[in-house]
Amino acid sequence: MTRLGLSLKSYLRVTQAAFVALYVIIVSGSLVRLTGSGLGCVDWPACNSSKFVDVSSTHAAIEQLNRLFTGVVTLAVMAAVGMSLLLKPRIRNLTVLSWGLVAGVLAQIVIGGVVVLTGLNPYSNMLHFLVSIVLITNAVVLNHRVRMAIDGSSKRGLDGLGTATHRLRWLLIFSCAIAIVLGTVVTGAGPHAGDENAVRLGIDIGWAVRFHSAAVWVCLLSALWLAYRLKSDPREWQILGQSLQVFLFWCIFQGALGYLQYFSGVPVPLVALHVAGSVAVWISALRLKLV
């Protein structure tokens, strides 16, 4: 705390905590599905008709722990809003972005209820994950804006980058977004539904994987093309090189993991890593665009 209010560096720690909580609940939510615990609690917001909290079975305990962790996430994003109001001087765009986190978490609570009450309908499950990606995007941008405020910078982009470089970064972001959406389609058609009786998308999983893989390849090739361009311009490489290398690492790791899990029969540990990796790829793509 400063003499007049909360410091930006202190506020950054609050927003980082919210970011971590949002990342953790994405992974924990995937574990609910991967362990077949999606209907461990058959009702919402109570676990079942007789108990609000029920940990009497393994599936119920896993689902219940994930629901309870939602409370931690809610407190974290509410803290981001509350602490933004203590900043001196107050920065309006930080407050707006932090309110976006609260709105997203409330939407997720409702969608989570729909997922359970519709018996793990694949479309509601897909929406649940995609809204999580929107929330992570919000959190990444919020943290970026806080760091900009700490550095005293008001620029959103870099005028020193060429038009082609800007376009390639947008292509990379767009292709990654498509890959994530198609990844949810693969999940909706795949074997890990969250419950053995859950409805699946009526599409061939082989074709779903091919389309998803094609989008990933476009994303990777966009990054390699961008790397080739940056290598010919030392100034641009100095600006984007490190962020691009981080993105390439996660993209290649995620792609290799995707092929490994598919050809090994989609074992649960690899699928869980793939879910966590997909978020890491998206975060690294965002940071490449936000540099």
Side-chain angles (χ1 to χ4, degrees), residues 20-92:
V20 170
L22 287 166
Y23 201 145
V24 170
I25 201 166
I26 291 175
V27 178
S28 69
S30 72
L31 291 175
V32 171
R33 175 173 57 82
L34 293 171
T35 57
S37 305
L39 292 179
C41 288
V42 295
D43 205 352
W44 183 89
C47 188
N48 52 55
S49 58
S50 59
K51 294 182 179 179
F52 189 83
V53 176
D54 185 4
V55 293
S56 59
S57 69
T58 301
H59 289 325
I62 292 172
E63 166 65 3
Q64 195 69 71
L65 285 172
N66 185 64
R67 290 190 185 189
L68 292 174
F69 189 71
T70 301
V72 175
V73 176
T74 302
L75 290 174
V77 299
M78 288 177 65
V81 172
M83 296 301 181
S84 74
L85 301 176
L86 296 178
L87 290 171
K88 299 291 183 181
R90 190 178 301 174
I91 303 174
R92 184 176 180 275

Side-chain angles (χ1 to χ4, degrees), residues 67-254:
R67 290 190 185 189
L68 292 174
F69 189 71
T70 301
V72 175
V73 176
T74 302
L75 290 174
V77 299
M78 288 177 65
V81 172
M83 296 301 181
S84 74
L85 301 176
L86 296 178
L87 290 171
K88 299 291 183 181
R90 190 178 301 174
I91 303 174
R92 184 176 180 275
N93 68 356
L94 300 184
T95 302
V96 171
L97 284 167
S98 59
W99 272 114
L101 294 179
V102 173
V105 169
L106 291 176
Q108 284 292 70
I109 291 171
V110 174
I111 295 169
V114 172
V115 169
V116 173
L117 297 177
T118 58
L120 308 182
N121 179 281
Y123 291 106
S124 59
N125 257 322
M126 291 161 64
L127 179 62
H128 206 26
F129 183 77
L130 293 176
V131 173
S132 294
I133 294 298
V134 173
L135 267 166
I136 280 289
T137 302
N138 191 328
V140 170
V141 173
L142 175 59
N143 277 277
H144 175 70
R145 294 288 179 84
V146 176
R147 290 190 181 94
M148 287 175 62
I150 291 172
D151 295 338
S153 172
S154 60
K155 294 181 65 178
R156 291 190 61 212
L158 291 162
D159 297 332
L161 297 177
T163 301
T165 299
H166 281 301
R167 288 174 178 172
L168 277 173
R169 288 195 299 168
W170 276 116
L171 175 61
L172 187 150
I173 283 284
F174 180 74
S175 56
C176 281
I178 295 298
I180 287 172
V181 172
L182 292 175
T184 66
V185 175
V186 174
T187 298
H192 299 297
D195 185 84
E196 60 183 14
N197 297 317
V199 176
R200 301 281 73 204
L201 293 177
I203 60 176
D204 179 70
I205 189 172
W207 279 106
V209 169
R210 291 184 188 97
F211 281 113
H212 172 61
S213 180
V216 172
W217 274 107
V218 171
C219 190
L220 176 59
L221 292 174
S222 300
L224 292 173
W225 187 5
L226 179 58
Y228 174 77
R229 283 193 55 84
L230 295 181
K231 280 294 188 179
S232 65
D233 189 329
R235 180 177 50 84
E236 289 195 337
W237 178 260
Q238 185 176 11
I239 294 170
L240 294 177
Q242 183 176 357
S243 296
L244 180 58
Q245 290 178 83
V246 171
F247 173 79
L248 281 169
F249 167 80
W250 282 115
C251 191
I252 293 170
F253 173 83
Q254 180 72 346

